[in-house]
């Protein structure tokens, strides 16, 4: 296995684990509820979430490199984490990802499992919006790991 392949493998594994922890454990309830709101309150909540998300990713990435003795390029890490942070912010503002889903014909899937208008009859994580959000993030983790490698 080449050095780049090892870096990619460690980076992706570390960032994938960090993603799950940062999105579900580190993110505050306040951030989760407000990051998609219009205007500055939503932008600020989302930026704070993305900051802690990126910090969590950096910690996991550095821990993986330290334990494996892997050398990471500072420029590659900076580029990768910057692209990942930007893609995460775009998705978590909600509207851009919803519009993309609608543009590519995934609007009905986006709505799958969402509460009906005027009712709170299905609050759960099993929605189409959540599945599209998570798959977006994981795809960008792949790109991030490529940039780091």
């Amino acid at each position: 296995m080449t050095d780049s392949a090892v870096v990619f493998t460690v980076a992706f594994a570390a960032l994938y684990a960090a993603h799950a922890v940062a999105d579900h454990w580190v993110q505050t309830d306040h951030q989760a509820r407000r990051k998609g709101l219009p205007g500055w309150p939503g932008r600020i909540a989302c930026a704070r979430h993305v900051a802690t998300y990126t910090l969590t990713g950096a910690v996991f990435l550095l821990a993986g490199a330290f334990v494996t003795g892997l050398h990471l390029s500072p420029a590659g890490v900076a580029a990768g984490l910057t692209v990942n942070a930007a893609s995460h912010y775009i998705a978590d503002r909600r509207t851009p990802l919803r519009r993309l889903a609608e543009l590519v014909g995934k609007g009905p899937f986006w709505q799958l499992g969402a509460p009906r208008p005027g009712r709170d009859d299905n609050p759960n994580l099993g929605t189409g919006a959540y599945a599209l959000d998570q798959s977006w993030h994981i795809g960008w983790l792949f790109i991030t790991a490529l940039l780091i490698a």
Side-chain angles (χ1 to χ4, degrees):
M1 194 180 276
T2 67
D3 288 345
S4 292
V6 173
V7 171
F8 171 81
T9 302
V10 171
F12 185 79
L15 292 170
Y16 188 86
H19 167 77
V21 171
D23 242 14
H24 299 108
W25 286 94
V26 176
Q27 178 175 213
T28 67
D29 183 64
H30 180 267
Q31 292 165 349
R33 291 180 186 272
R34 297 181 64 88
K35 65 186 179 185
L37 293 177
W40 284 106
R43 290 181 194 117
I44 291 168
C46 193
R48 287 180 176 157
H49 164 55
V50 170
T52 60
Y53 175 90
T54 303
L55 179 60
T56 303
V59 168
F60 276 55
L61 186 59
L62 293 174
F66 177 76
V67 169
T68 62
L70 200 58
H71 172 74
L72 298 175
S73 157
V77 170
L81 290 178
T82 299
V83 166
N84 193 42
S87 73
H88 201 90
Y89 181 89
I90 289 167
D92 280 11
R93 288 294 290 140
R94 303 285 187 244
T95 301
L97 195 58
R98 180 181 48 82
R99 286 185 180 155
L100 177 61
E102 290 167 353
L103 181 69
V104 300
K106 294 289 184 185
F109 185 70
W110 178 271
Q111 292 297 325
L112 183 68
R116 293 175 290 176
R119 299 178 183 209
D120 188 17
D121 59 357
N122 197 21
N124 66 71
L125 288 178
T127 65
Y130 180 78
L132 290 172
D133 172 83
Q134 291 300 298
S135 64
W136 169 273
H137 293 320
I138 293 165
W140 281 100
L141 291 176
F142 179 83
I143 293 168
T144 299
L146 288 175
L147 288 169
I148 291 169

